[in-house]
Amino acid sequence: MQIVIGNVLSAAEVALVREALAGAKFVDGRATAGFAARMVKHNTQADGSDRSLESVRKLIAGRILENEVFRLAARPKALTPLLLSRYEKAMHYGSHVDDALMHGMRTDVSFTLFLSDPASYEGGELVIESAAGEDPVKLDAGSLVAYPSTALHRVNDVTNGERLAAVGWARSYIRDPARREMLFDLDTARRQMFTISGKSAEYDLVSKSLSNLIRMWAED
Ligand code: NI
């Protein structure tokens, strides 16, 4: 399941992040790519050792982890350190699959939080490749797309302007994307039932099944 979540960061927070990035040191993005992805990765990213960006990384990670829709869709246990990437004109990231393990952690859910106003650059869509076809994603600043780390994906050539984004990975309590989707649907339906008719006997039964499925499937 691929999900778009709006307003993960407020406009003021996006401005704060962009201001911090304007003064940051960017290095060749190939430094953090696997050997095959390195062949197709053409972007830059903020130097991982840059301490001045620590508060910005913390702010973004905090906003993502506290976002209720993200919690329901990704069931995150932990996030990897965020990559803050910048694509300038003619930069792109060809088709690749993300490393299965990063920082000793399994990657289950990949996400991109867009930081540039979409009208300020051309190209730079994130394309997630699936059997059902390709779906180019280009979102408002502060919005995020999350998708299974099992998917091939790419970033189209930026033909004008500059594309800033925060990229990261979640280790999910639920490894299988199909199971995550079932839990998401069930949890969403349960909440709608509660809104319509309160804590009914039906709501309690669906809640019980949801909890027991999580117990059955979760890897903590
Ligand atoms: Ni990737």
Side-chain angles (χ1 to χ4, degrees):
M1 181 178 74
Q2 175 182 327
I3 191 163
V4 168
I5 308 172
N7 300 309
V8 174
L9 293 184
S10 69
E13 288 165 342
V14 168
L16 192 87
V17 171
R18 283 212 294 244
E19 197 184 306
L21 289 179
K25 181 185 167 207
F26 280 78
V27 296
D28 191 326
R30 283 177 290 192
T32 58
F35 76 92
R38 197 173 297 148
M39 296 167 67
V40 293
K41 187 172 185 182
H42 299 283
N43 71 358
T44 63
Q45 60 204 25
D47 189 346
S49 60
D50 188 344
R51 309 274 295 187
S52 71
L53 292 175
E54 229 163 74
S55 63
V56 158
R57 288 179 208 276
K58 210 171 156 186
L59 167 75
I60 300 171
R63 287 288 179 263
I64 292 171
L65 277 176
E66 74 191 13
N67 185 281
E68 196 173 15
V69 180
F70 185 81
R71 299 194 70 81
L72 290 184
R75 309 256 167 205
K77 180 178 183 186
L79 302 185
T80 61
L82 296 176
L83 292 179
L84 299 161
S85 68
R86 185 174 70 189
Y87 293 73
E88 294 162 56
K89 191 172 174 174
M91 289 186 179
H92 56 269
Y93 195 163
S95 186
H96 66 281
V97 69
D98 297 333
D99 283 346
L101 295 170
M102 292 188 203
H103 304 272
M105 199 179 89
R106 194 184 66 222
T107 55
D108 296 311
V109 178
S110 304
F111 59 84
T112 295
L113 175 70
F114 288 75
L115 292 167
S116 296
D117 177 356
S120 71
Y121 64 101
E122 284 165 32
E125 300 87 358
L126 171 67
V127 183
I128 296 146
E129 301 168 17
S130 80
E134 296 190 342
D135 184 14
V137 181
K138 185 171 182 174
L139 303 176
D140 288 339
S143 297
L144 169 150
V145 61
Y147 56 97
S149 300
T150 47
L152 280 165
H153 56 278
R154 64 177 191 270
V155 177
N156 285 341
D157 211 36
V158 171
T159 54
N160 213 355
E162 174 189 277
R163 175 198 192 265
L164 292 171
V167 176
W169 294 268
R171 150 74 154 91
S172 177
Y173 285 111
I174 309 295
R175 180 201 295 243
D176 177 4
R179 288 178 176 177
R180 279 200 303 274
E181 184 167 348
M182 280 189 260
L183 295 177
F184 178 79
D185 289 347
L186 203 51
D187 216 339
T188 304
R190 174 180 80 116
R191 284 155 197 259
Q192 284 164 4
M193 283 170 76
F194 188 88
T195 306
I196 295 164
S197 47
K199 193 179 169 304
S200 61
E202 294 80 6
Y203 169 85
D204 282 344
L205 279 175
V206 174
S207 294
K208 179 181 133 187
S209 292
L210 174 67
S211 284
N212 289 338
L213 281 173
I214 294 172
R215 281 190 192 90
M216 198 179 285
W217 292 340
E219 295 168 350
D220 57 7

